[in-house]
Amino acid sequence: MANIAKKVSWSSRAEESGVAGERTPLFNGSEQPRLSRQLSGGGSVFQIGRLSTVDLEEEITSDEDSQRGRPKEIPHNEKLLSLKYESLDYDNIENQLFLEEERRMSYMGFRCLEISRWVVCGLIGFLTGLIACFIDIAVEELAGIKYQVVKQNIEKFTEVGGLSISLILWAVLNSSIVMLGAIIVAFFEPIAAGSGIPQIKCYLNGVKIPRVVRLKTLVVKVCGVICSVVGGLAVGKEGPMIHSGAVVAAGVSQGRSTSLKRDFKIFEYFRRDTEKRDFVSAGAAAGVSAAFGAPVGGVLFALEEGASFWNQMLTWRIFFASMISTFTLNFFLSIYHKNPGDLSNPGLINFGRFESDSVAYNLYEIPLFIMMGAIGGLLGALFNLLNYWLTIFRIRYVHRPCLQVMEAMLVAAVTATVSFTMIYFSNDCQPLGPEHTEEYPLQVHTQYTQHEGRLFVSPLLPLVELLLSFSVSLSQLFCADGEYNSMATAFFNTPERSVRSLFHNQPGTYNPLTLGLFTLTYFFLACWTYGLAVSAGVFIPSLLIGAAWGRLFGILLASITSSGSIWADPGKYALIGAAAQLGGIVRMTLSLTVIMVEATGNVTYGLPIMLVLMTAKIVGDYFVEGLYDIHIKLQSVPFLHLEAPATSHWLTAREVMGSPVTCLNRIEKVGTIVDILSNTSTNHNGFPVVVQPAKLCGLILRSQLIVLLKHKVFVELARSRLTQRKLQLKDFRDAYPRFPPIQSIHVSQDERECMMDLTEFMNATPYTVPQETSLPRVFKLFRALGLRHLVVVDDENRVVGLVTRKDLARYHLGKHGLEELQVAQT
C-alpha cells in the first residue's frame, strides 16, 4: 500500500520524536492538532540502483514550513520512512567493559543468570494470565450490570409501547461506556489504541516503537479494552492480550519501573535490548496463550515475527511462559466460577469441543475447503482495502482527540441501533427445544404484550447469571413462548458465545437469510470499528464473520445435494469459514493454523485449516497486504521482511549505503562530539571510530557517548583525579532505556577543549562488508544478526559508507511501492 499524506508515528510525544517540536499522527489514524509537518510540491520517483542519492535525513526547510496551510499531498519518496523509529541494539556491544565483565563471571554465575531467565519467564506468564483473568471477570461483571439495567427497562416500557425508549437507553449506555474508553486512549496514551499487534510485530522485527511497552500503556490498554467490549463494539478482547503480555515482559525483565521511578535492584543484567527483546517475545507468546488457550500457537506467533533471532533454549523459555499463562488464567477462572480445579477453559475464547464424529470430512470436500479459503481471501482483501481508505480519512480529517472520541461514540450508537433494527425486522424464530439447553440453561416464564402489531415476549427471570439471562430474553424478542430469535442470538450474545453457537448449534438453527444479513452487517461494522481510538482486537470479529458465512455455505451445500444432511454439517463449514476469514484479514499461516487447532481441541482439521489459510493468504496477497502490514506501512516504519526482494541480487552495498559517514577519531575532542550529537539535521545513532587515515577501528553508539559525557569521562580529568571511579557497564544499564537527550548534558567551554578516549567503550569488532557485497547478503546479515549498523569498507579497511535498517527498507519501498505510490499521488 502507498504511504499516505504525511509521515506518521505511533507516538504523539514530542520528546520521543527526535526532532524538537514535531508531532506526528497516531497509529489508529489520529494525530495531534498542531505542528504536523507536510511536504508539498513535486518530487522525483525512485530510481532503482540510485537509492544512495535519496536523503532520508533531509530536514524540512522554511519554504516547506510556510506551506503547511496548503492542501495536503502524498509525501515524496525520500520521506516514505519516518525518522521517529530507530532499530534495537540487539547485537551485543563487545567493548572492553563487556568482555571484562563476561570473563570475570564464573560458570556458576552463568548458571544463575540462566535460572533468572526462567524465573522471569515464569513471572511473565503468571502476570499475563492474571491480567487476562481480570479483563474477563471485569467484562462479565460490568456487562451484567448493563444488561440488568436494559432488561428492566424493556420490561417496564414495552407494555406501554415504549420500545424506542429501550433502544435509546441501549445506545446511550453503549456510547457512554465507549466514550470512557476512547477518552483515556485519545487523551492519555494514544499508543494503546487498536490491538497493539502491529506495534509488537515491529518490536519483534527489531524496531524501537516509542512508548509501546510503558506501564501507562498497559493500564490504558486494559481499561480501554474492557470499555470497548462492554460498550458493545464489534471487537474482541483477545488481540490486546498480545500487547499486554509484551508490556508485562518488558517491565518484569528490567526489575524496575521507569514510570513509577522505582528500582528493585534485580535483573540488572537484563537491561539491554538483547535480553529485553527476547523477554518481549515471551510476553507476546504468553498473551496469545492466554487469549486462545494455545501455548504452542503463542510460541509460533513469536517465532514468525522474529525467527532469525531465536535459539533452542529461548524457545523453551517462551513455551514455559505460555504454559504458565494459560494455566494461571484457567486456575483463577475456575475459582471465580466456583469450580476450583476445573481446568477445562484454558483461554479467553473457547470454541467448544469438536468431537471426531461431527467433524469428519472426506477427500472430495478438500476442493470445497480450498474454495472457501479463496472466498476468505477475497473478503479479507475487501475488508483491508476498506479499512485502509477509512484509516487515511481518519488521519486527514479525524485527527483531534475530541473528534476521535466523538467517532467512537457514533460507532457505538450506530452498532446498537443497527443490531436492534435487524432484530426488530427479523422473523427467524426457532423453537427453544432440548437441544438448546446448553446455550439457554435457564427456564423462561413469559408474559405476552402487544407492540405495534407484533408479539413481544418479556421474560421474568431471577437476578442470577445476568449476562446469560439477558441473552435469553433478547433472543426471544418478537417470538412466541418457547421460541427465540436467531438474529438476537447472533447480535446480543457476546462475540465469543456467538462464535461457539455458530460452530455447534444443530442444523436448522439459523435461517440462511439471517446469516446473510448478519454477515453483511457485521462485516461493515467491524471494518468501521477497527482503527477507532479504542483498545480492541480484530480476531473475534473476523472469526464471527467467517463463521456466519461459512455456516451459510454449509446450509446451501446441504440444500443442493440429496445427501446434504450426512456430510454438509453447517458447524464444520462454520469453522472453515472462520479460519478463512481470519486468514484473509491478518495473513498469518503457521501460527494461526496451530492456534485454531489448539482452540478447537481436535487435530482432525489441521490439514483443512492449513490449506484454507494458505489459500486465503495467496488470494488476498494478490490484491492487498494483510491488515497489520497495511497499518505498519501507513506508519512509515522501516520493517524488514524475512527475505530480500527477489530482484535485488544485482544491487550491491555501494548502491544502498548512506554516504558520507560521520566518523569519530579514537581520541576525540569533547566539543566535536557535542556538536555532532547536537546536530538535528542528521540525528545519527552510530558512529564509526577511525584512526588516520580513516581506517576503521570500532563503532560507538549515541547512547554510549551521552553516558560518557554525563559522567565526564575525559582524558584530562582522569589524569587529574587519580581516585576517579572507573566507569562500568552498570552505569550504562542504569541509564537504559531512557537515555537523556544531549540538550540536558551541560558541558562548559573549558570541558569542550578536553579529549575523550573511546578505546575502552567502542565495539572494536563491528560487522563490516566490502562495497561489492550483494544486497541479499547484506539483508541476511541484518535479519540473522539483528544488526543496527553495518559498516561498508574498501580494500584498505577505510570507511566508505554505513548501511542501516532504513536503507534496506527504503529499497523495498522503492522497488515494490512505486506503482502504489503513483496511484496514491493521482
Side-chain angles (χ1 to χ4, degrees), residues 12-204:
S12 63
R13 306 299 191 266
E15 64 268 22
E16 297 286 347
S17 66
V19 179
E22 182 176 356
R23 295 187 179 184
T24 50
L26 310 171
F27 168 72
N28 63 332
S30 59
E31 68 169 286
Q32 295 298 329
R34 296 176 297 172
L35 301 179
S36 61
R37 296 193 171 185
Q38 174 73 30
L39 285 177
S40 60
S44 60
V45 296
F46 272 114
Q47 299 295 325
I48 304 303
R50 297 282 298 172
L51 294 176
S52 59
T53 64
V54 178
D55 185 11
L56 286 176
E57 310 281 355
E58 179 185 349
E59 280 292 294
I60 298 179
T61 64
S62 58
D63 291 336
E64 292 166 334
D65 287 335
S66 65
Q67 298 175 1
R68 289 179 182 174
R70 299 184 183 181
K72 304 191 180 300
E73 300 177 5
I74 301 298
H76 307 316
N77 297 312
E78 64 267 21
K79 295 297 181 181
L80 283 175
L81 296 177
S82 175
L83 298 178
K84 308 305 173 199
Y85 307 112
E86 296 297 336
S87 299
L88 297 174
D89 294 307
Y90 190 78
D91 183 44
N92 284 321
I93 303 170
E94 292 192 353
N95 53 23
Q96 292 183 18
L97 295 181
F98 176 81
L99 294 176
E100 289 174 3
E101 182 183 71
E102 295 292 307
R103 290 163 182 166
R104 286 196 306 265
M105 192 174 300
S106 64
Y107 176 78
M108 186 58 64
F110 283 108
R111 296 296 298 173
C112 291
L113 280 177
E114 188 63 25
I115 293 173
S116 298
R117 292 188 179 98
W118 283 90
V119 171
V120 170
C121 288
L123 289 174
I124 291 170
F126 178 75
L127 293 177
T128 303
L130 283 182
I131 291 174
C133 184
F134 171 77
I135 292 175
D136 196 51
I137 294 175
V139 167
E140 185 170 342
E141 293 294 330
L142 293 177
I145 296 174
K146 184 187 75 171
Y147 293 152
Q148 176 65 17
V149 172
V150 177
K151 187 171 78 73
Q152 291 176 349
N153 182 270
I154 290 177
E155 294 176 353
K156 177 179 179 181
F157 290 102
T158 301
E159 297 181 9
V160 296
L163 187 61
S164 58
I165 298 178
S166 301
L167 170 59
I168 293 174
L169 176 63
W170 176 260
V172 169
L173 280 177
N174 281 2
S175 298
S176 301
I177 297 172
V178 171
M179 178 186 68
L180 177 61
I183 286 175
I184 61 177
V185 170
F187 286 94
F188 294 97
E189 197 56 86
I191 190 67
S195 65
I197 295 178
Q199 293 96 318
I200 300 305
K201 282 170 65 74
C202 291
Y203 193 93
L204 297 182

Side-chain angles (χ1 to χ4, degrees), residues 4-8 25 31 37-38 72-73 75 395-396:
I4 52 178
K6 59 197 81 157
K7 295 182 297 178
V8 290
E31 68 169 286
R37 296 193 171 185
Q38 174 73 30
K72 304 191 180 300
E73 300 177 5
I395 291 177
R396 290 177 174 172

Side-chain angles (χ1 to χ4, degrees), residues 270-290:
F270 303 144
R271 294 176 185 177
R272 49 184 170 142
D273 286 341
T274 306
E275 300 283 351
K276 187 176 181 179
R277 186 207 163 278
D278 290 343
F279 288 120
V280 168
S281 299
V288 173
S289 180

Side-chain angles (χ1 to χ4, degrees), residues 711-752:
H711 289 272
K712 301 189 182 302
V713 185
F714 307 149
V715 174
E716 290 77 4
L717 294 180
R719 293 171 181 171
S720 61
R721 301 176 188 174
L722 298 179
T723 59
Q724 183 183 21
R725 182 180 68 87
K726 182 180 179 181
L727 206 64
Q728 299 177 350
L729 279 183
K730 183 180 184 303
D731 298 298
F732 294 91
R733 290 168 181 160
D734 289 341
Y736 177 84
R738 302 186 193 179
F739 295 98
I742 184 60
Q743 292 78 11
S744 66
I745 307 297
H746 175 70
V747 179
S748 66
Q749 191 62 36
D750 291 338
E751 291 173 337
R752 289 179 59 91

